[in-house]
Amino acid sequence: MSRSHSNDALLLHRRQLLGAAVGAAVGSASAAIAGVSLAAEDSAAVRRLGPGPSPLGERSPFAEQARVPAMGIVSFTPHENLEGTITPSDLHFERHHGGIPALDPQSHELLLHGMVERPLKFSLTDIKRFPSVTRSCFIECSGNYFPFAGEESPPHLICGLTSQSEWTGVALSTLLREAGVKPGASWIIAEGGDAPLLNRSIPLAKALDDVLLVYAQNGEAIRPAQGYPMRLLVPGWEGNTNVKWLRRLEITDAPVMSRQETSKYTEPMRDGTIRQFSFEVDARSIITAPSYPATIAKGWQEIRGIAWSGRGKIQGVEVSTDGGKTWQPARMQGPVLSKSHTRFTLPWFWDGEATELQSRAIDETGYVQPTLRDIMKERGPGSGPYHFNPITGWLVRRDGELRFSPTG
Amino acid sequence: MSRSHSNDALLLHRRQLLGAAVGAAVGSASAAIAGVSLAAEDSAAVRRLGPGPSPLGERSPFAEQARVPAMGIVSFTPHENLEGTITPSDLHFERHHGGIPALDPQSHELLLHGMVERPLKFSLTDIKRFPSVTRSCFIECSGNYFPFAGEESPPHLICGLTSQSEWTGVALSTLLREAGVKPGASWIIAEGGDAPLLNRSIPLAKALDDVLLVYAQNGEAIRPAQGYPMRLLVPGWEGNTNVKWLRRLEITDAPVMSRQETSKYTEPMRDGTIRQFSFEVDARSIITAPSYPATIAKGWQEIRGIAWSGRGKIQGVEVSTDGGKTWQPARMQGPVLSKSHTRFTLPWFWDGEATELQSRAIDETGYVQPTLRDIMKERGPGSGPYHFNPITGWLVRRDGELRFSPTG
């Protein structure tokens, strides 16, 4: 073996891993030898022709997947069943305020108007003629915390309203140059083509920075639940601003003060004031494996999870395997991209004793994911469900079962 | 507008783009003004409640997708319908030698044996306990060129046997350390659990370098057509070596000389010799838009395509809009990853005259994608269908229709 693998964690633990894996596999290793000669004998069973090529490659019946619909208005991404960073498009979380409109790209148009030199209308075909940009990015609903099953809450209830896609579209700055923004303009009102015509106000500076008008998700047309034929991608900002089924962009000099930024998506603070425009998503992380409802066995396994921040790249993730007393740096899977889910991993030897697993994310601004206690101390008890990003944990019981722990 | 966008191509062409887009949109721009007041009037039609959340987010009926099955043994990825770099898992190309086996992860086992200290057997659950690695990577069939519809060949016939996924699994080097490779070992024989028990030989040095045993694709379990529950990922090497439905890895000191590396997947050369193990995929590119069967209109649009190399990163892509007389550097969409599809783009003003669009890839080793003539000169007329990566083109007719051109 002439080369060594570059995984430091692996090298550190090599001897222990070796012992663990032999423990896992050695019971069947002698059977394995017999298995070699069985290869010819069992070939009658193995050598059955399978089905041929087909238009769509479906999932295995042994690995079916589903989002988890709830309350008639959302469905959760099942992070407990996912690896890597991409969320398959049909498992991207959904959140509607009036169901999914069935938009025909032949008749759908985007109107760009208000404080511009030239009001413009664009069809999907028009939009695709402009220079395109592709980037991976998460979208997270600002109300992404529903531990309503208590200890028996799986990851999809804790963090199932964040999902990650590779998006393709046109920079909003490109379209704004086409229309010519008038002096004094400072906001954009984005309006969707869904039943409530959901609208949100976005500062013009953000629009010119990194907002995209996207029409593709993970290589193909956006799914209807995600805004087909086009939506805004507002990197790092609360999901609600990423207006789906986009039909109108109005350039203004003030926010529209819509229902979605007054009665909803605002946060009462301890001093009696209301935090209105809290656009950026704070850094957060969750351990997706092991997690409820899994049961684990003693020995080596890998702790895995995702971390993200609306303010840029994840700088580090720390994991505690003793309920927050001590913390170890996790390995982060590269490439670490800005405003994207980042996968972290840490090898862990479970000795069979009860404990608690926790993770905390640190982003490139130095922000550290807070405890529940820290959040409550800052905001007060009536702070509501938005922008809630506490460190959470999984209690490991002596029988190997896991339970959700809000910690803090 | 306080910030300028970083797309140099856009800045270069800004005035022309502006003219083009106004040309496209200005006809409807005055209608657009009326559209603003129509927003309230047409709201009865718009404001129909749509369907609520569901377990799987299906595609729009206006944007259905399908692979194109052919010859009973393959299906092609429809690159003409894709954006970005990810191939949706159900559109990943497929190539079987005995159909798709239906493997149950409860009973499927991987045997690692031969020149090792400790033969081992692993279930899917065992494999998932090891440190995981995630990487984006293409897989390309070595016989990826089927222009059998002549001029009316769309991209899926030219390049539909390459697809890109984010894969997750365990480094093969990790498993080899567990088993302990004996001195003198130099090859690994990988065998699949499909009807023909397809097998290929892989040098041990490659296995220790970057080969992964993967169980997840684009965030979730590999699809059956891609090798569920586990396959090899041999980055940059011809698809056939990425053995699917993996059930056996035998460590040896010589290749197995299987059917798939003697009667198939070998290339007769001009001097009468046969090139047997040509593992690495050479650099290649294709323009996916515009392409047959699209029809284009005069004015600005974006030329888009993908480029890849089995030898590392794509260093550059050049595009010709005059049939190969002159070449311009295309913009490459980052992050540019090793052994991955890289999206390239170039704004192009079509003046309505007949011409031909071509692309050529250059990889980080300095290798330049060859012309058909160069390939034939090197290999001779009987060289067969493998590792065929010529520059190809799209003829643009004066009526705006496109036709495939083998060029060279």
Side-chain angles (χ1 to χ4, degrees), chain A residues 26-270:
Chain A
V26 81
S28 54
S30 54
I33 308 295
V36 184
S37 57
L38 278 175
E41 291 168 42
D42 70 8
S43 64
V46 170
R47 297 189 139 185
R48 212 176 289 137
L49 274 179
S54 63
L56 292 172
E58 305 295 349
R59 294 182 169 103
S60 165
F62 301 105
E64 285 180 354
Q65 292 271 11
R67 298 182 297 201
V68 184
M71 303 170 282
I73 55 169
V74 293
S75 67
F76 299 109
T77 292
H79 288 293
E80 55 272 32
N81 300 333
L82 299 183
E83 306 281 351
T85 67
I86 290 287
T87 306
S89 297
D90 60 358
L91 299 178
H92 193 291
F93 86 86
E94 58 184 332
R95 169 70 173 104
H96 323 132
H97 296 72
I100 305 171
L103 300 184
D104 181 344
Q106 293 301 315
S107 55
H108 182 80
E109 287 180 319
L110 170 66
L111 172 64
L112 174 54
H113 71 126
M115 296 175 68
V116 295
E117 303 293 343
R118 294 168 293 280
L120 296 170
K121 258 186 178 175
F122 303 96
S123 67
L124 179 61
T125 304
D126 296 334
I127 292 293
K128 287 187 174 177
R129 293 176 62 191
F130 285 92
S132 60
V133 179
T134 294
R135 75 171 286 177
S136 289
C137 196
F138 74 84
I139 296 180
E140 181 181 19
C141 179
S142 66
N144 188 20
Y145 186 73
F146 294 89
F148 44 51
E151 282 200 332
E152 297 183 358
S153 298
H156 72 257
L157 290 179
I158 308 308
C159 269
L161 298 185
T162 184
S163 307
Q164 164 100 349
S165 302
E166 186 200 66
W167 301 97
T168 298
V170 54
L172 199 48
S173 58
T174 302
L175 300 184
L176 291 173
R177 269 197 209 96
E178 293 298 308
V181 175
K182 286 186 176 169
S186 53
W187 289 81
I188 295 188
I189 318 300
E191 180 184 277
D194 53 346
L197 302 175
L198 185 145
N199 58 355
R200 285 298 309 261
S201 311
I202 297 165
L204 186 60
K206 174 70 174 176
L208 293 172
D209 176 16
D210 63 358
V211 175
L212 302 180
L213 172 65
V214 294
Y215 44 79
Q217 174 187 15
N218 296 336
E220 59 175 326
I222 292 177
R223 304 273 163 134
Q226 307 313 322
Y228 182 84
M230 57 183 77
R231 77 177 298 171
L232 282 189
L233 178 73
V234 188
W237 285 23
E238 59 181 23
N240 185 280
T241 62
N242 296 249
V243 175
K244 298 188 283 288
W245 314 292
L246 192 73
R247 71 171 209 154
R248 199 162 68 87
L249 290 169
E250 183 177 356
I251 316 303
T252 67
D253 58 4
V256 69
M257 298 297 194
S258 76
R259 177 168 187 264
Q260 307 298 337
E261 50 204 40
T262 50
S263 90
K264 308 288 177 192
Y265 299 99
T266 54
E267 295 134 68
M269 305 303 284
R270 180 177 280 286

Side-chain angles (χ1 to χ4, degrees), chain B residues 195-241:
Chain B
L197 302 176
L198 186 146
N199 58 355
R200 284 299 309 260
S201 311
I202 297 164
L204 187 60
K206 175 69 174 176
L208 293 172
D209 177 16
D210 63 358
V211 175
L212 303 181
L213 171 66
V214 294
Y215 45 79
Q217 174 187 16
N218 295 336
E220 59 174 328
I222 292 177
R223 304 272 163 137
Q226 306 314 322
Y228 182 84
M230 56 182 78
R231 77 177 298 170
L232 282 189
L233 178 73
V234 187
W237 285 24
E238 58 181 24
N240 183 280
T241 62

Side-chain angles (χ1 to χ4, degrees), chain A residues 21 59 85 132 166 220 302, chain B residues 59 85 132 166 178 220 302:
Chain A
R59 294 182 169 103
T85 67
S132 60
E166 186 200 66
E220 59 175 326
E302 191 176 56
Chain B
R59 295 182 167 103
T85 68
S132 61
E166 186 200 66
E178 293 297 309
E220 59 174 328
E302 190 176 57

Side-chain angles (χ1 to χ4, degrees), chain A residues 1-5 7 10-11 14 17-18 21-22 24-25 28-29 31-33 35-36 39 42 46-60 62-63 65-67 69 72-75 81-86 88 90-91 94 96 98-100 103-105 111 113 118-121 126 128-134 166 168 171 173-174 176-178 181 193-197 205 208-209 215-216 218-221 223-224 228 247 298-302 304 331 333-335 337 345, chain B residues 1-5 7 10-11 14 17-18 21-22 24-25 28-29 31-33 35-36 39 42 46-60 62-63 65-67 69 72-75 81-86 88 90-91 94 96 98-100 103-105 111 113 118-121 126 128-134 166 168 171 173-174 176-178 181 193-197 205 208-209 215-216 218-221 223-224 228 247 298-302 304 331 333-335 337 345:
Chain A
M1 293 173 61
S2 58
R3 304 190 198 196
S4 65
H5 192 254
N7 186 324
L10 175 64
L11 292 174
R14 186 187 151 178
L17 271 171
L18 185 68
V22 170
S28 54
I33 308 295
V36 184
D42 70 8
V46 170
R47 297 189 139 185
R48 212 176 289 137
L49 274 179
S54 63
L56 292 172
E58 305 295 349
R59 294 182 169 103
S60 165
F62 301 105
Q65 292 271 11
R67 298 182 297 201
I73 55 169
V74 293
S75 67
N81 300 333
L82 299 183
E83 306 281 351
T85 67
I86 290 287
D90 60 358
L91 299 178
E94 58 184 332
H96 323 132
I100 305 171
L103 300 184
D104 181 344
L111 172 64
H113 71 126
R118 294 168 293 280
L120 296 170
K121 258 186 178 175
D126 296 334
K128 287 187 174 177
R129 293 176 62 191
F130 285 92
S132 60
V133 179
T134 294
E166 186 200 66
T168 298
S173 58
T174 302
L176 291 173
R177 269 197 209 96
E178 293 298 308
V181 175
D194 53 346
L197 302 175
L208 293 172
D209 176 16
Y215 44 79
N218 296 336
E220 59 175 326
R223 304 273 163 134
Y228 182 84
R247 71 171 209 154
K298 279 188 206 179
W300 281 100
Q301 55 206 292
E302 191 176 56
R304 302 179 189 177
R331 184 181 75 97
Q333 177 67 59
L337 302 173
T345 61
Chain B
M1 292 172 59
S2 56
R3 305 193 196 194
S4 64
H5 192 254
N7 186 324
L10 175 65
L11 293 173
R14 186 188 151 176
L17 271 171
L18 183 69
V22 170
S28 54
I33 308 296
V36 184
D42 69 8
V46 171
R47 299 190 138 185
R48 212 175 290 136
L49 274 178
S54 63
L56 292 172
E58 305 296 349
R59 295 182 167 103
S60 165
F62 301 106
Q65 292 271 11
R67 297 181 299 200
I73 54 169
V74 293
S75 68
N81 300 333
L82 299 183
E83 306 281 353
T85 68
I86 290 286
D90 60 359
L91 298 177
E94 57 184 334
H96 323 132
I100 304 171
L103 299 183
D104 181 344
L111 172 64
H113 70 126
R118 294 168 294 280
L120 296 170
K121 259 187 177 173
D126 296 334
K128 288 187 174 176
R129 294 176 63 190
F130 285 92
S132 61
V133 178
T134 294
E166 186 200 66
T168 298
S173 59
T174 302
L176 291 174
R177 267 197 211 97
E178 293 297 309
V181 175
D194 51 347
L197 302 176
L208 293 172
D209 177 16
Y215 45 79
N218 295 336
E220 59 174 328
R223 304 272 163 137
Y228 182 84
R247 70 170 208 153
K298 278 187 208 181
W300 280 102
Q301 56 206 292
E302 190 176 57
R304 301 178 189 178
R331 185 182 75 97
Q333 177 68 60
L337 302 174
T345 61

Side-chain angles (χ1 to χ4, degrees), chain B residues 126-161:
Chain B
D126 296 334
I127 292 292
K128 288 187 174 176
R129 294 176 63 190
F130 285 92
S132 61
V133 178
T134 294
R135 74 171 286 177
S136 288
C137 196
F138 73 84
I139 296 179
E140 182 181 19
C141 179
S142 66
N144 187 20
Y145 185 73
F146 294 88
F148 45 50
E151 281 200 333
E152 297 184 356
S153 297
H156 72 257
L157 290 179
I158 309 308
C159 271
L161 298 185

